Amino acid sequence: MSSSDVGTPSSTETAEISTIDMGLEVVTVPVSDVERAKRFYQSLGWRLDADFAVGDDARLVQMTPPHSQCSIHFGKGVPGITAMEPGSLQRMYLTVKDIDAARADLISRGVDVSEVEEQPKPPGFPDSPGRSYFAYASFSDPDGNGWLLQEVTTRLPGREWQD
């Protein structure tokens, strides 16, 4: 079966959950100025994992949000990294336990963060304490790539991997 056949209307079987560990490791963020992006993400308190340059024409930077298992990378002159339009990546979620504290931290670092929006829980949504999953705030990097803070205090049933 090809990847284009998976999930088509003629596919009626539900696949079993894989037993192969697959971690989402890195997301590519398209930027126009590598040094400016590096300074911005460092100002957020993110860890600098790598900064590889090959002359003036190629550079790859990788950074990781605090305690995240997934990193971002950006650069120039590296095939696949510079194919996207700077600022075209939107709605990247950063989950936090206390959105008000996370928002205040970003503001103290000079980031323009929206007010916290609380959305109503849809009918039939499993009961979750407080505003877990339904409180958001947003900000953008200097190129306009959009980030969402989402408060998650308790994971919904089925959202934790079991060994």
Side-chain angles (χ1 to χ4, degrees), residues 68-85:
S68 177
Q69 297 299 309
C70 185
S71 303
I72 64 167
H73 66 202
F74 47 87
K76 67 177 184 175
V78 180
I81 289 184
T82 54
M84 294 186 290
E85 186 68 30

Side-chain angles (χ1 to χ4, degrees), residues 8-57:
T8 59
S10 62
S11 175
T12 58
E13 294 181 26
T14 301
E16 291 181 31
I17 293 178
S18 177
T19 58
I20 305 300
D21 287 348
M22 292 184 192
L24 180 60
E25 186 76 17
V26 179
V27 173
T28 301
V29 177
V31 302
S32 60
D33 183 325
V34 175
E35 194 58 39
R36 179 181 69 176
K38 178 182 171 185
R39 283 192 311 270
F40 174 77
Y41 289 106
Q42 281 181 311
S43 79
L44 301 183
W46 292 20
R47 182 184 70 218
L48 176 63
D49 299 328
D51 187 349
F52 300 114
V54 180
D56 292 332
D57 297 328

Side-chain angles (χ1 to χ4, degrees), residues 67-117:
H67 304 282
S68 177
Q69 297 299 309
C70 185
S71 303
I72 64 167
H73 66 202
F74 47 87
K76 67 177 184 175
V78 180
I81 289 184
T82 54
M84 294 186 290
E85 186 68 30
S88 63
L89 202 54
Q90 299 298 312
R91 299 184 60 84
M92 294 177 286
Y93 283 69
L94 295 168
T95 59
V96 296
K97 293 208 179 285
D98 182 340
I99 197 167
D100 298 309
R103 181 177 180 273
D105 178 71
L106 289 172
I107 290 170
S108 77
R109 294 169 183 274
V111 178
D112 183 20
V113 185
S114 74
E115 295 291 329
V116 174
E117 283 187 41

